[in-house]
Amino acid sequence: MAVSGSLFRPNQSLSPFLKPTKPKLGCKKLFCLKASAGNLEDEEPKMSIIKENDGWKIDFSGQKPVTPLLDTINYPVHMKNLSTMELEQLAAEIRADIVHTVSETGGHLSSSLGVVELTIALHHVFDTPEDKIIWDVGHQAYPHKILTGRRSRMHTIRKTSGLAGFPKRDESVYDAFGAGHSSTSISAGLGMAVARDLLKKKNNVVSVIGDGAMTAGLAYEAMNNAGFLDSNLIVILNDNKQVSLPTATLDGPATPVGALSRALTNIQASKKFRKLRETAKGLTKQFGGQAHALAAKVDEYARGMISASGSTLFEELGLYYIGPVDGHSIKDLVAMFEKVKAMPAPGPVLIHVVTEKGKGYPPAEAAADKMHGVVRFDTKTGKQFKSKSSTLSYTQYFAESLIKEAEADDKIVAIHAAMGGGTGLNFFQKRFPDRCFDVGIAEQHAVTFAAGLATEGLKPFCAIYSSFLQRGYDQVVHDVDLQKLPVRFAMDRAGLVGADGPTHCGAFDITYMACLPNMVVMAPSDEAELMHMVATAAAIDDRPSCFRFPRGNGTGVVLPPNYKGTPLEIGRGRIIMEGNRVAILGYGSIVQQCIEAAHMLRSQDIYVTVADARFCKPLDGDLIKQLAYEHEILITVEEGSIGGFGSHVSHFLSLTGILDGSLKLRAMVLPDRYIDHGSPQDQIEEAGLSSRHISATVLSMLGRPKEALQFK
């Protein structure tokens, strides 16, 4: 096999893993590494990794890169004795490896590229897995996975039965805490630090959190408690100047709000100032409050002479602030971490590290969205191979419909939590920049902020992923539903979500929204119905409402003229197909599987009724009674957890006495377990909610289970 790749200038100390060969024409004053066991002319060119005076440069025009140093690293222990130059070479090889791998699998690219040096420095200095590293959100953990025994499986990331796209405790002992949602790392790290102290252990705990995740209240609650408990905890603030995802607007990243201050790193990190703080603590214990106030002022003024005033925000919370540190300088990072690790005095420390999303890959650095989340792409140009579809995504249909409503009603406003691209509100923001609000990764605030807008007569649409709205549920109950305020919740990514897996699966929203007394709960069966429900929500002005819709593209149905929906009658469903004996009542986009099942059953001379419930609350009682009285069997189907639509139908039938008769009732819901990441089709099959499973359920209830085997 031919290996080509690394070029070195003479007079540079080379890694022991690399040996220069005789220079070839075209490599003036450079050594070109070529290792060959075959005919080079028969093989595709490889990515080359070039050592230059100002660092390592990667030529991304080739195929899989040559990574002689990375090939020797399976676990962090294997990199303990590497020199700074070798660690820098390792960073270049990891960066090239990530670009190559993600170009074939898709996934989170730029966030991982931005923390390559940080990850290497952490694993070089700290002794994982005894020392704990907690990655906030976790979409930046690809370098971490590569260095902790999972490189050979990176080609399976986010695929069925493959590696998860986020840290996962049962995947590796090096994943100290599972993630997927933001702003949890400091709380989890503090818990681990306190547990360590109670168990008389000596390990370090490091929480890595981004400036975007720092916008959530949970992070500040944790820092406040950390300052009070005074446990040894290292918080690394990964500041890449993106408090929102880079897809927040159509023009690229949103302007950072409240960017963290910079300071002089070397002086901030000195032991003198660290010891000064510890002296202040000691004085407090010995002499009480007055001495504490004096010592605190001495420390604050001394530090104020060498740092920007913003660092005192963390000081006030009780964390010792160090920074900023260049997040792409392995030398500086290693030196800083070694100093902090060696500090004998206890207490929480915050190290402010400045990084660049997409670092080292020019197409990502130049892209408006920084290539945050990508499908397969060409490594040379960064051009993504996006599949073409005749329909738009449900998210885009929602956005276009909301824009049409807002054009007709200037009281309509939109709110999202740092997810302009994910929710489609970047389109709304482009059209109505003064009526779209990005509140940062702060779902609790988003909900109550929307409630405040509603009190003044505006019509807020709060667009939040189903799984992310879980983070603001108390506000939904206490601040919105209890006060009967007309906030409209657009819950994207409802149901199974494919590669993002259980952390992003919208399994619970039907259950947690439909139990609220004042909430109108809707779910469209297709994109046209979605537009009608946007219009319906806009028209509901006396109580809160919500509607859920899935990830993925529309079905191709005829759309309302000009994308402008028509308000539906509240609590009224519809019959789509007429049949006999068996009625299938679907809720939401799963109705499409019900329709497909009905067509499959016709091959067995079974003609079923298919109905679209539209509403979970209020239920269409008349429709349910009609289906129950005119059929022997009633099956409810939903892409949600137990306790949702089927439970409401069952409760209604029980209260009305219909279940006292001969009706056979079955509810098909998501299984009572978390479904791992994988392709949408694999997930729906595992969940038992495919058209095949629905058909099999019908045949089984009709006493013909063997015929279900014909549906494969």
Side-chain angles (χ1 to χ4, degrees):
M1 176 181 177
V3 180
S4 64
S6 297
L7 307 179
F8 298 89
R9 295 190 181 280
N11 302 321
Q12 292 271 5
S13 60
L14 299 179
S15 162
F17 302 98
L18 299 176
K19 300 297 181 185
T21 62
K22 183 178 179 180
K24 291 188 176 183
L25 187 63
C27 294
K28 294 180 179 179
K29 297 185 180 180
L30 289 170
F31 286 112
C32 306
L33 179 70
K34 300 284 183 181
S36 177
N39 187 352
L40 287 174
E41 295 179 357
D42 295 336
E43 302 212 8
E44 296 182 355
K46 308 288 187 180
M47 287 185 191
S48 62
I49 303 173
I50 306 167
K51 179 68 172 76
E52 297 184 350
N53 287 336
D54 59 346
W56 292 84
K57 303 296 181 184
I58 306 169
D59 179 2
F60 293 99
S61 60
Q63 298 301 310
K64 184 176 181 179
V66 178
T67 52
L69 183 51
L70 178 57
D71 292 344
T72 69
I73 308 294
N74 291 319
Y75 292 96
V77 68
H78 299 145
M79 53 186 285
K80 292 298 183 181
N81 294 326
L82 297 185
S83 67
T84 298
M85 180 179 175
E86 289 165 343
L87 292 175
E88 290 170 349
Q89 176 187 331
L90 180 62
E93 292 183 12
I94 289 176
R95 188 165 273 117
D97 200 58
I98 289 174
V99 171
H100 168 72
T101 299
V102 179
S103 74
E104 296 185 343
T105 64
H108 291 103
L109 178 65
S110 60
S111 50
S112 292
L113 294 178
V115 297
V116 171
E117 290 84 1
L118 174 59
T119 306
I120 290 172
L122 284 170
H123 281 296
H124 179 72
V125 173
F126 294 98
D127 301 315
T128 56
E130 286 76 19
D131 288 339
K132 311 298 181 184
I133 300 176
I134 304 117
W135 297 95
D136 207 282
V137 181
H139 59 320
Q140 77 282 56
Y142 292 15
H144 165 77
K145 287 178 184 266
I146 288 172
L147 291 172
T148 53
R150 287 168 278 184
R151 185 190 178 201
S152 64
R153 296 185 62 208
M154 286 299 291
H155 67 283
T156 71
I157 199 160
R158 292 162 51 90
K159 296 181 180 179
T160 303
S161 301
L163 294 177
F166 305 97
K168 193 174 183 180
R169 280 173 54 82
D170 60 8
E171 183 178 285
S172 172
V173 67
Y174 290 91
D175 291 354
F177 198 75
H181 293 194
S182 89
S183 315
T184 62
S185 62
I186 304 177
S187 295
L190 181 59
M192 292 179 192
V194 170
R196 172 204 60 209
D197 296 343
L198 292 173
L199 296 172
K200 310 298 183 184
K201 296 181 179 180
K202 299 296 184 182
N203 61 288
N204 294 284
V205 180
V206 183
S207 296
V208 185
I209 184 170
D211 53 332
M214 274 290 195
T215 61
L218 179 61
Y220 291 91
E221 293 171 24
M223 286 190 290
N224 181 58
N225 194 213
F228 173 76
L229 293 175
D230 206 31
S231 291
N232 247 346
L233 172 67
I234 301 169
V235 177
I236 296 176
L237 173 58
N238 175 32
D239 182 6
N240 58 22
K241 300 298 173 290
Q242 293 194 351
V243 296
S244 294
L245 290 181
T247 53
T249 74
L250 291 178
D251 299 321
T255 302
V257 178
L260 298 172
S261 302
R262 285 172 165 73
L264 299 175
T265 300
N266 291 334
I267 303 180
Q268 288 276 13
S270 71
K271 291 186 178 181
K272 292 182 179 179
F273 284 99
R274 175 73 177 192
K275 289 179 178 177
L276 177 59
R277 179 173 180 263
E278 297 313 315
T279 300
K281 291 182 183 179
L283 287 172
T284 299
K285 294 176 181 177
Q286 294 180 46
F287 302 110
Q290 288 184 338
H292 169 72
L294 175 61
K297 282 296 180 184
V298 169
D299 184 39
E300 181 178 346
Y301 288 139
R303 291 170 55 76
M305 293 171 63
I306 58 167
S307 70
S309 59
S311 64
T312 59
L313 166 64
F314 300 108
E315 292 292 327
E316 291 294 335
L317 291 171
L319 280 79
Y320 188 82
Y321 174 90
I322 301 172
V325 184
D326 181 355
H328 300 297
S329 170
I330 288 181
K331 180 180 179 181
D332 290 350
L333 288 170
V334 168
M336 175 62 62
F337 294 157
E338 286 178 342
K339 285 181 181 179
V340 172
K341 183 181 178 182
M343 292 292 183
V349 178
L350 184 138
I351 305 174
H352 180 185
V353 175
V354 179
T355 62
E356 180 185 355
K357 215 166 186 180
K359 176 70 173 179
Y361 184 48
E365 292 176 344
D369 66 353
K370 296 293 182 182
M371 296 183 72
H372 171 77
V374 297
V375 296
R376 295 178 63 250
F377 62 91
D378 175 35
T379 58
K380 183 176 181 180
T381 64
K383 182 179 180 181
Q384 299 183 51
F385 306 128
K386 295 184 178 180
S387 58
K388 295 182 179 180
S389 174
S390 58
T391 62
L392 301 176
S393 66
Y394 276 94
T395 300
Q396 288 174 285
Y397 286 122
F398 157 69
E400 294 295 339
S401 181
L402 184 60
I403 288 170
K404 294 304 177 185
E405 296 297 327
E407 287 175 347
D409 188 344
D410 61 9
K411 290 186 176 181
I412 289 177
V413 294
I415 304 101
H416 66 89
M419 293 293 291
T423 61
L425 290 186
N426 51 357
F427 294 99
F428 188 94
Q429 189 270 342
K430 186 76 171 180
R431 179 69 178 82
F432 301 106
D434 296 331
R435 292 160 62 185
C436 186
F437 302 93
D438 177 357
V439 302
I441 305 177
E443 290 83 4
Q444 290 178 288
H445 168 59
V447 173
T448 304
F449 174 65
L453 292 168
T455 63
E456 298 303 305
L458 294 180
K459 298 182 177 181
F461 277 76
C462 197
I464 301 177
Y465 286 8
S466 167
S467 62
F468 293 173
L469 188 57
Q470 295 162 187
R471 294 157 57 90
Y473 187 61
D474 180 62
Q475 286 65 40
V476 174
V477 177
H478 181 269
D479 300 336
V480 175
D481 195 73
L482 181 62
Q483 302 188 84
K484 212 173 180 180
L485 292 173
V487 175
R488 295 97 177 145
F489 295 98
M491 300 179 296
D492 201 339
R493 304 306 198 272
L496 300 167
V497 293
D500 282 335
T503 61
H504 287 57
C505 177
F508 309 113
D509 59 89
I510 306 172
T511 301
Y512 71 63
M513 294 301 261
C515 67
L516 301 178
N518 294 319
M519 188 72 66
V520 175
V521 184
M522 305 174 275
S525 57
D526 55 46
E527 60 269 38
E529 286 286 299
L530 173 58
M531 291 182 172
H532 295 318
M533 289 184 184
V534 172
T536 304
I540 297 174
D541 211 27
D542 61 344
R543 52 191 150 161
S545 59
C546 67
F547 51 93
R548 70 183 328 239
F549 52 96
R551 182 177 189 173
N553 288 2
T555 63
V557 297
V558 177
L559 298 172
N562 202 29
Y563 287 177
K564 181 75 165 63
T566 302
L568 302 171
E569 182 181 355
I570 304 298
R572 282 289 175 263
R574 58 174 181 153
I575 291 177
I576 298 174
M577 301 173 65
E578 295 275 8
N580 56 68
R581 295 193 67 188
V582 178
I584 303 174
L585 178 58
Y587 179 69
S589 60
I590 201 71
V591 167
Q592 300 305 318
Q593 296 286 342
C594 299
I595 294 172
E596 187 176 335
H599 290 306
M600 294 170 64
L601 289 166
R602 288 186 176 185
S603 66
Q604 306 296 311
D605 292 326
I606 299 172
Y607 295 86
V608 302
T609 296
V610 177
D612 174 9
R614 282 179 168 163
F615 293 85
C616 179
K617 192 166 194 175
L619 285 172
D620 187 343
D622 292 338
L623 174 62
I624 295 171
K625 287 180 180 178
Q626 178 186 347
L627 297 176
Y629 289 138
E630 295 179 1
H631 301 82
E632 304 169 23
I633 297 167
L634 175 59
I635 301 171
T636 63
V637 189
E638 63 192 294
E639 200 172 321
S641 69
I642 187 171
F645 174 70
S647 296
H648 283 261
V649 172
S650 171
H651 184 66
F652 173 81
L653 291 171
S654 175
L655 288 178
T656 55
I658 296 176
L659 283 185
D660 299 341
S662 59
L663 178 70
K664 296 180 181 179
L665 176 68
R666 296 290 186 275
M668 298 185 71
V669 300
L670 289 174
D672 194 21
R673 67 176 187 275
Y674 295 102
I675 295 179
D676 279 338
H677 59 279
S679 71
Q681 187 56 41
D682 287 345
Q683 285 191 324
I684 203 75
E685 288 288 337
E686 183 182 345
L689 291 176
S690 68
S691 56
R692 182 172 62 86
H693 288 93
I694 297 170
S695 299
T697 301
V698 171
L699 288 166
S700 177
M701 295 185 72
L702 288 172
R704 300 161 60 176
K706 292 183 178 180
E707 296 178 40
L709 298 176
Q710 299 179 36
F711 301 128
K712 295 182 179 179

